[in-house]
Amino acid sequence: DRQGWKVQVTLPFKTLGICPKSGATIGINFIRTNYADFDRGDRQTSIWQKVPGWTLRPAYFGHLRFG
């Protein structure tokens, strides 16, 4: 898709030890890396919510609100 990419995800909240209720908000981020030519180090990375520097900085994550 030229306008971006789409993904459908099933998150096992019970396995993760949480049970979000309607109206709850959690911080979350999605990163996709495609190694187009691994031998040459060619890769494409897409990030839902850009995080400066190191990608594991929850203060910069997007928010997922449950309806």
Side-chain angles (χ1 to χ4, degrees):
D1 184 313
R2 290 179 177 231
Q3 306 228 348
W5 49 279
K6 299 174 185 173
V7 65
Q8 182 175 336
V9 178
T10 301
L11 299 172
F13 292 116
K14 187 174 182 179
T15 302
L16 296 172
I18 61 174
C19 183
K21 304 216 180 311
S22 181
T25 301
I26 63 171
I28 195 164
N29 208 2
F30 299 97
I31 301 171
R32 170 191 145 306
T33 302
N34 178 19
Y35 291 94
D37 188 342
F38 185 78
D39 294 333
R40 289 190 343 210
D42 184 18
R43 72 178 186 183
Q44 301 168 350
T45 301
S46 301
I47 302 173
W48 179 52
Q49 183 66 36
K50 188 159 176 77
V51 175
W54 193 44
T55 58
L56 297 176
R57 295 175 68 186
Y60 293 94
F61 285 6
H63 296 100
L64 178 64
R65 186 180 331 187
F66 296 88

